[in-house]
Amino acid sequence: QVQLVESGGGSVQAGGSLRLSCTGSRLTTANHCMGWFRQAPGKEREGVAAIARDGPITYVDSVKGRFTISKDNDKNTLYLQMDSLKPEDTAMYYCASTRCLTDRSRVRLSENDYTYWGQGTQVTVSS
């Protein structure tokens, strides 16, 4: 069982930056497809960014050019660099992963594609 733990959330002013990290027990990022999701109060959880096992990346349109997803297979850690933050980025951010034995280059932004989830880290952006 893979247990994911996010860190790096916090409170920043609009225009600021944060870097989220995700790691966990029994996580081997080299074998996993991974993603970041977020859920704002009163809204459904949405996919923010995803990275396939072999490297392809995708983002939801609202964060393109501002967020960068990456992973360090030596450290078994997933990152989300968030720059030019906006108040509408305020949400609980979740890390997700799934072992990718096939379709290793397919990026996944659907919750249904993921098996393992972290507990979330809060990001609050004030105007």
Side-chain angles (χ1 to χ4, degrees):
Q1 183 77 4
V2 174
Q3 294 181 323
L4 302 176
V5 178
E6 303 94 338
S7 62
S11 297
V12 296
Q13 290 192 327
S17 298
L18 286 172
R19 188 176 80 156
L20 306 183
S21 299
C22 172
T23 189
S25 62
R26 300 183 178 89
L27 175 65
T28 305
T29 57
N31 297 333
H32 280 233
C33 295
M34 303 193 71
W36 287 99
F37 290 73
R38 66 185 180 187
Q39 187 168 22
K43 295 187 177 181
E44 294 190 353
R45 189 155 55 183
E46 68 167 345
V48 174
I51 183 167
R53 171 177 169 172
D54 287 355
I57 288 171
T58 193
Y59 301 94
V60 69
D61 285 346
S62 60
V63 307
K64 284 180 180 177
R66 301 188 298 119
F67 290 11
T68 304
I69 188 172
S70 63
K71 62 175 180 170
D72 185 332
N73 290 336
D74 291 333
K75 296 182 179 179
N76 288 318
T77 301
L78 177 73
Y79 301 101
L80 184 67
Q81 177 67 42
M82 305 186 295
D83 298 316
S84 302
L85 282 161
K86 303 176 180 180
E88 50 264 43
D89 295 319
T90 295
M92 185 72 78
Y93 283 72
Y94 298 90
C95 169
S97 76
T98 191
R99 290 187 180 89
C100 279
L101 302 178
T102 60
D103 291 335
R104 295 183 298 179
S105 295
R106 181 170 72 88
V107 287
R108 296 159 163 83
L109 265 184
S110 169
E111 291 184 65
N112 295 331
D113 287 326
Y114 291 95
T115 305
Y116 308 108
W117 292 83
Q119 294 299 307
T121 186
Q122 179 67 39
V123 172
T124 302
V125 185
S126 58
S127 57

